[in-house]
Amino acid sequence: MFSTLSLIASFLHLGVHGQAPKPHLIFILQDDLGRFDTAIYGNKAAEAATHNITSLAREGVVLSNHYVHWHCSPTRRSFLTGRLPLHHTEKLSGLDTDDIDLRWAWISEKLRAAGYVSHWYGKGHTGYRSMNHLPARRGFNGGSLLFFTGAGSYTTLPRWSGEGPVDTKQEYSTDLFGSLAVRAVRDHDPAVPLFLYLPFQAVHTPYDLPPDRTGAECPSNIACMLQDADRWVGELVLALKEKGMYENTLIVYSSDNGGVTDGNNYPLRGEKHTNWQGAMRVAAFVSGGYVPKAVRGTTNDGVFHVVDWYPTFAGLAGVDGSDDPPVPPLPVDPQHPDRDIYQGGLSYPPVDGKDIWPQVASGSSTTPHPCLWLSAEVLLKGKYKLLVAQPSPELMFSQFVNNGWKLPNGTWVDAPDGLWPCNAYQRRSHFVPCLFDVDADPREEHNLAAEMPELVSAMWAELNRTSLTAYSARSPERLLGICHPLCALGKWGGTPGPVCGVPGCEWDTEGEVVV
């Protein structure tokens, strides 16, 4: 079946001379967007604030089962590397942490090899311990301007352009990143394939409103912030059309996780920082002229993950979507759970994503993931979701998580811990999993664990086996470079940034110059 779909997808985009053209690729990532915060899934009240985004969704293919991680950094690292958070940890990236192994090829590097010019304008939050962690050194050869941290002021957070800090005169981040993306398109040669990564800061807290809006005139903070991002999405599409690029452009739009605080994931359960569907099954769609006409205006029910865009983009660009280690990992052995299957620094995990273009382009809802790890406590297998507990409190700052259902009016329906053993959060000494049929029960209201104990046991064992492939970055020192925090801070004029491999700081801790 898969080979047939591949042939269909390839045929749909054969050029005049029998060669598939390389499409322009745009990935827009909205921060902390709730599934009910736009009109993509039918919330008519949000249509005015998200007119352009909603129009794009309706002209393309809405993805009803697009999964991400339950919070920020892991999703972003997964998109860039094609690897599940299991293979770069579920932790939030610090400013100077090594979270993406420097031996891995980013999707931007894959696309650069295919002749693409690539741009990154927006939020970072993927770890920048060394100069070699900067987008400018990882294939973003057209331009990059970003901030490194997870959250903060929309005007005063330090920003980096290329390989150094830059003063952007406190311009509101949505307007800054949106205008840079539009300019990149207007200045681009349409004959050269373009890759544009646009991870907006909106609508993450703090709820800093656009400079031309006040709280009194906003139906909600999120609505006004989204409306500004929506305006730039419209400007971006207009620029693509004016340049004659739109018909050969694929646009992917997604949230990095579910909504939280003022965000709303109705009808799904939970919010960011939980293992419920509201945190992981997010608003997403594909659009643009490259989407086959036969599937425009449809919804695809296939189970996809953000890691899938890595091999999908690579495949569309005509390059290999794998990124295998020089030495394969050892087989997992549940009898020896402490064995390092990566043998120190010899090996690392390959790409986890699958090329989903055959499914998207043909309208097929077959899933490339018979079994999908979503977090340390969640496994998805077909229509069944095993949920062992909520995420470890060590991964975030929250003292509690919302395990209930948020209604369209913003009020919560509670889910008492006594009725839901998989609510377990602070107490983690004994787990009692829940099991859901998320096809028949997308709101996760009916725990099937007592009715299907054998499936629970089998899925829990599979989750445990999969967890034995866990990995965190082991970037070699030769790629990191000499680490000198004090020298680096001086180099950057007091602005926090990379501390390893910094030009002018090439000496070791004893003051010896490294040649």
Side-chain angles (χ1 to χ4, degrees), residues 406-422:
K406 197 172 191 178
L407 301 177
N409 65 7
T411 61
W412 281 88
V413 176
D414 190 27
D417 291 352
L419 299 178
W420 297 97
C422 48

Side-chain angles (χ1 to χ4, degrees), residues 433-492:
C434 296
L435 181 73
F436 300 96
D437 177 345
V438 289
D439 284 355
D441 179 28
R443 286 172 55 80
E444 297 172 292
E445 295 176 307
H446 307 288
N447 181 11
L448 303 176
E451 302 172 32
M452 309 178 75
E454 292 182 358
L455 180 59
V456 170
S457 296
M459 290 183 66
W460 201 356
E462 180 66 22
L463 177 62
N464 289 332
R465 281 194 298 271
T466 304
S467 296
L468 294 179
T469 70
Y471 181 85
S472 58
R474 307 176 187 182
S475 297
E477 290 185 9
R478 61 182 173 79
L479 297 178
L480 284 169
I482 296 296
C483 304
H484 204 304
L486 288 179
C487 177
L489 192 62
K491 169 77 174 182
W492 310 132

Side-chain angles (χ1 to χ4, degrees), residues 314-363:
L316 291 171
V319 293
D320 182 12
S322 65
D323 187 28
D324 294 335
V327 177
L330 297 174
V332 166
D333 182 359
Q335 300 302 316
H336 298 89
D338 296 328
R339 182 172 70 167
D340 178 12
I341 66 171
Y342 301 107
Q343 308 163 74
L346 291 180
S347 188
Y348 50 77
V351 166
D352 295 303
K354 306 295 183 182
D355 184 351
I356 59 174
W357 188 245
Q359 285 91 339
V360 174
S362 67

Side-chain angles (χ1 to χ4, degrees), residues 247-367:
E247 290 305 312
N248 191 37
T249 295
L250 175 65
I251 300 171
V252 181
Y253 180 95
S254 175
S255 180
D256 65 334
N257 46 248
V260 67
T261 312
D262 289 359
N264 195 326
N265 303 304
Y266 178 84
L268 302 181
R269 183 174 181 175
E271 59 181 357
K272 176 184 178 181
H273 300 139
T274 73
N275 274 318
W276 303 107
Q277 293 289 80
M280 298 175 161
R281 184 182 162 200
V282 297
F285 63 83
V286 298
S287 194
Y290 194 76
V291 175
K293 292 181 180 179
V295 295
R296 295 178 191 175
T298 66
T299 296
N300 192 303
D301 295 328
V303 174
F304 306 134
H305 194 281
V306 70
V307 295
D308 295 328
W309 295 113
Y310 181 105
T312 300
F313 280 9
L316 291 171
V319 293
D320 182 12
S322 65
D323 187 28
D324 294 335
V327 177
L330 297 174
V332 166
D333 182 359
Q335 300 302 316
H336 298 89
D338 296 328
R339 182 172 70 167
D340 178 12
I341 66 171
Y342 301 107
Q343 308 163 74
L346 291 180
S347 188
Y348 50 77
V351 166
D352 295 303
K354 306 295 183 182
D355 184 351
I356 59 174
W357 188 245
Q359 285 91 339
V360 174
S362 67
S364 170
S365 59
T366 57
T367 176

